[in-house]
Amino acid sequence: MKTISEARVVDAMHNFASSLRQLWEKQGEEHRQRLKAEYLSKYFQRRLGTLHMEQGKLEREQDDTSNKTGGSIVPSESGVSPLDDLKVDPDTMKKELEEEKARHNEALILVQNATSSSLQAGLIPIFEALSNFTSETVKAYEHGRIRNAS
């Protein structure tokens, strides 16, 4: 019985536990990416609403100014219409939101792939090691029993 080693079983279980720990870390990263994407989405929606209100206000002011002066939209100090200034910010925010959603989707795919492969890849070696350990233990028991019976 002393020659039977449970080391292979312990190693297989340790490797599986390490695999699960890595999976847990990937799930944490996916969770952080999801929260960040959700936050950016909500922020984008709030900011877009604010920009639409500001745009409406500027358009009314421009209409009032053009009615009084008989001219067209007055450019800002940079030479760009204030309405054009408002268009840049939503586009940038939308691009950032799309990039964050893409990063989240990549993290989600990694977690799903790791989950499906880690259970199968981790449990098979454990059961093989347990099977070998059990087989060796039964052989040693039978060998010891036969020697004692003689």
Side-chain angles (χ1 to χ4, degrees), residues 42-52 54 86 89-90 93:
K42 289 176 185 176
Y43 175 76
F44 177 71
Q45 292 301 322
R46 283 192 314 265
R47 186 72 178 126
L48 195 58
T50 303
L51 290 173
H52 283 304
E54 289 176 8
L86 287 177
D89 195 33
M93 289 189 320

mmCIF file of all heavy atoms in Angstrom, residues 42-52 54 86 89-90 93:
data_model
loop_
_atom_site.group_PDB
_atom_site.id
_atom_site.type_symbol
_atom_site.label_atom_id
_atom_site.label_comp_id
_atom_site.label_asym_id
_atom_site.label_seq_id
_atom_site.Cartn_x
_atom_site.Cartn_y
_atom_site.Cartn_z
ATOM 1 N N LYS A 42 -25.331 54.654 -20.777
ATOM 2 C CA LYS A 42 -26.208 55.562 -20.036
ATOM 3 C C LYS A 42 -25.699 56.998 -20.126
ATOM 4 O O LYS A 42 -26.483 57.928 -20.313
ATOM 5 C CB LYS A 42 -26.308 55.124 -18.576
ATOM 6 C CG LYS A 42 -27.110 53.860 -18.388
ATOM 7 C CD LYS A 42 -27.107 53.407 -16.943
ATOM 8 C CE LYS A 42 -27.818 52.070 -16.804
ATOM 9 N NZ LYS A 42 -27.748 51.569 -15.426
ATOM 10 N N TYR A 43 -24.383 57.160 -19.985
ATOM 11 C CA TYR A 43 -23.793 58.497 -20.079
ATOM 12 C C TYR A 43 -24.048 59.081 -21.467
ATOM 13 O O TYR A 43 -24.402 60.250 -21.609
ATOM 14 C CB TYR A 43 -22.290 58.440 -19.789
ATOM 15 C CG TYR A 43 -21.594 59.770 -19.978
ATOM 16 C CD1 TYR A 43 -21.727 60.774 -19.026
ATOM 17 C CD2 TYR A 43 -20.828 60.016 -21.108
ATOM 18 C CE1 TYR A 43 -21.117 61.996 -19.194
ATOM 19 C CE2 TYR A 43 -20.211 61.236 -21.292
ATOM 20 C CZ TYR A 43 -20.352 62.224 -20.336
ATOM 21 O OH TYR A 43 -19.756 63.428 -20.522
ATOM 22 N N PHE A 44 -23.864 58.265 -22.492
ATOM 23 C CA PHE A 44 -24.075 58.701 -23.869
ATOM 24 C C PHE A 44 -25.522 59.155 -24.062
ATOM 25 O O PHE A 44 -25.776 60.201 -24.659
ATOM 26 C CB PHE A 44 -23.725 57.562 -24.834
ATOM 27 C CG PHE A 44 -23.976 57.887 -26.274
ATOM 28 C CD1 PHE A 44 -23.185 58.800 -26.955
ATOM 29 C CD2 PHE A 44 -25.010 57.265 -26.960
ATOM 30 C CE1 PHE A 44 -23.408 59.088 -28.277
ATOM 31 C CE2 PHE A 44 -25.245 57.551 -28.296
ATOM 32 C CZ PHE A 44 -24.448 58.469 -28.962
ATOM 33 N N GLN A 45 -26.467 58.384 -23.547
ATOM 34 C CA GLN A 45 -27.876 58.746 -23.696
ATOM 35 C C GLN A 45 -28.196 60.057 -22.979
ATOM 36 O O GLN A 45 -28.895 60.914 -23.523
ATOM 37 C CB GLN A 45 -28.777 57.616 -23.162
ATOM 38 C CG GLN A 45 -28.728 56.344 -23.977
ATOM 39 C CD GLN A 45 -29.131 56.567 -25.425
ATOM 40 O OE1 GLN A 45 -30.030 57.327 -25.728
ATOM 41 N NE2 GLN A 45 -28.435 55.895 -26.326
ATOM 42 N N ARG A 46 -27.666 60.219 -21.757
ATOM 43 C CA ARG A 46 -27.898 61.469 -21.023
ATOM 44 C C ARG A 46 -27.275 62.648 -21.761
ATOM 45 O O ARG A 46 -27.894 63.697 -21.919
ATOM 46 C CB ARG A 46 -27.312 61.378 -19.611
ATOM 47 C CG ARG A 46 -28.135 60.584 -18.647
ATOM 48 C CD ARG A 46 -27.665 60.783 -17.204
ATOM 49 N NE ARG A 46 -26.232 60.703 -17.023
ATOM 50 C CZ ARG A 46 -25.558 59.612 -16.660
ATOM 51 N NH1 ARG A 46 -26.213 58.503 -16.421
ATOM 52 N NH2 ARG A 46 -24.250 59.636 -16.520
ATOM 53 N N ARG A 47 -26.041 62.461 -22.187
ATOM 54 C CA ARG A 47 -25.322 63.537 -22.876
ATOM 55 C C ARG A 47 -25.991 63.878 -24.202
ATOM 56 O O ARG A 47 -26.095 65.051 -24.565
ATOM 57 C CB ARG A 47 -23.862 63.104 -23.106
ATOM 58 C CG ARG A 47 -22.986 64.160 -23.670
ATOM 59 C CD ARG A 47 -22.673 65.252 -22.648
ATOM 60 N NE ARG A 47 -21.775 66.198 -23.273
ATOM 61 C CZ ARG A 47 -21.988 67.497 -23.334
ATOM 62 N NH1 ARG A 47 -23.039 68.008 -22.738
ATOM 63 N NH2 ARG A 47 -21.151 68.292 -23.939
ATOM 64 N N LEU A 48 -26.476 62.877 -24.898
ATOM 65 C CA LEU A 48 -27.156 63.100 -26.173
ATOM 66 C C LEU A 48 -28.429 63.916 -25.954
ATOM 67 O O LEU A 48 -28.717 64.837 -26.721
ATOM 68 C CB LEU A 48 -27.481 61.760 -26.824
ATOM 69 C CG LEU A 48 -27.858 61.770 -28.284
ATOM 70 C CD1 LEU A 48 -26.751 62.400 -29.131
ATOM 71 C CD2 LEU A 48 -28.115 60.358 -28.771
ATOM 72 N N GLY A 49 -29.179 63.595 -24.900
ATOM 73 C CA GLY A 49 -30.375 64.370 -24.571
ATOM 74 C C GLY A 49 -30.032 65.815 -24.278
ATOM 75 O O GLY A 49 -30.705 66.742 -24.751
ATOM 76 N N THR A 50 -28.974 66.027 -23.507
ATOM 77 C CA THR A 50 -28.529 67.375 -23.190
ATOM 78 C C THR A 50 -28.106 68.120 -24.455
ATOM 79 O O THR A 50 -28.459 69.285 -24.646
ATOM 80 C CB THR A 50 -27.336 67.329 -22.199
ATOM 81 O OG1 THR A 50 -27.743 66.620 -21.038
ATOM 82 C CG2 THR A 50 -26.866 68.713 -21.827
ATOM 83 N N LEU A 51 -27.374 67.433 -25.318
ATOM 84 C CA LEU A 51 -26.921 68.073 -26.559
ATOM 85 C C LEU A 51 -28.090 68.431 -27.473
ATOM 86 O O LEU A 51 -28.070 69.484 -28.120
ATOM 87 C CB LEU A 51 -25.927 67.179 -27.290
ATOM 88 C CG LEU A 51 -24.564 67.039 -26.618
ATOM 89 C CD1 LEU A 51 -23.713 66.004 -27.338
ATOM 90 C CD2 LEU A 51 -23.840 68.374 -26.579
ATOM 91 N N HIS A 52 -29.092 67.571 -27.512
ATOM 92 C CA HIS A 52 -30.271 67.884 -28.328
ATOM 93 C C HIS A 52 -30.980 69.123 -27.797
ATOM 94 O O HIS A 52 -31.426 69.972 -28.583
ATOM 95 C CB HIS A 52 -31.241 66.704 -28.374
ATOM 96 C CG HIS A 52 -30.814 65.607 -29.298
ATOM 97 N ND1 HIS A 52 -30.541 65.802 -30.628
ATOM 98 C CD2 HIS A 52 -30.589 64.287 -29.074
ATOM 99 C CE1 HIS A 52 -30.191 64.667 -31.189
ATOM 100 N NE2 HIS A 52 -30.198 63.721 -30.253
ATOM 101 N N GLU A 54 -29.523 71.560 -26.074
ATOM 102 C CA GLU A 54 -28.637 72.683 -26.385
ATOM 103 C C GLU A 54 -28.726 73.050 -27.863
ATOM 104 O O GLU A 54 -28.734 74.229 -28.217
ATOM 105 C CB GLU A 54 -27.191 72.343 -26.020
ATOM 106 C CG GLU A 54 -26.937 72.281 -24.538
ATOM 107 C CD GLU A 54 -25.511 71.851 -24.205
ATOM 108 O OE1 GLU A 54 -24.675 71.753 -25.120
ATOM 109 O OE2 GLU A 54 -25.253 71.599 -23.013
ATOM 110 N N LEU A 86 -21.489 70.994 -31.744
ATOM 111 C CA LEU A 86 -22.278 70.029 -31.000
ATOM 112 C C LEU A 86 -22.278 68.662 -31.670
ATOM 113 O O LEU A 86 -22.434 67.652 -31.015
ATOM 114 C CB LEU A 86 -23.726 70.519 -30.864
ATOM 115 C CG LEU A 86 -23.954 71.668 -29.890
ATOM 116 C CD1 LEU A 86 -25.416 72.083 -29.926
ATOM 117 C CD2 LEU A 86 -23.543 71.309 -28.483
ATOM 118 N N ASP A 89 -19.083 66.025 -30.616
ATOM 119 C CA ASP A 89 -19.069 65.331 -29.342
ATOM 120 C C ASP A 89 -19.902 64.046 -29.371
ATOM 121 O O ASP A 89 -19.414 63.010 -28.936
ATOM 122 C CB ASP A 89 -19.523 66.279 -28.233
ATOM 123 C CG ASP A 89 -19.188 65.761 -26.860
ATOM 124 O OD1 ASP A 89 -18.154 65.080 -26.704
ATOM 125 O OD2 ASP A 89 -19.964 66.024 -25.935
ATOM 126 N N PRO A 90 -21.129 64.033 -29.873
ATOM 127 C CA PRO A 90 -21.897 62.767 -29.904
ATOM 128 C C PRO A 90 -21.234 61.711 -30.778
ATOM 129 O O PRO A 90 -21.262 60.535 -30.444
ATOM 130 C CB PRO A 90 -23.263 63.167 -30.472
ATOM 131 C CG PRO A 90 -23.379 64.622 -30.237
ATOM 132 C CD PRO A 90 -21.993 65.153 -30.259
ATOM 133 N N MET A 93 -18.409 60.241 -28.764
ATOM 134 C CA MET A 93 -18.934 59.401 -27.683
ATOM 135 C C MET A 93 -19.506 58.099 -28.241
ATOM 136 O O MET A 93 -19.319 57.041 -27.649
ATOM 137 C CB MET A 93 -20.006 60.146 -26.896
ATOM 138 C CG MET A 93 -19.457 61.257 -26.036
ATOM 139 S SD MET A 93 -20.631 62.012 -24.881
ATOM 140 C CE MET A 93 -22.122 62.135 -25.787
#
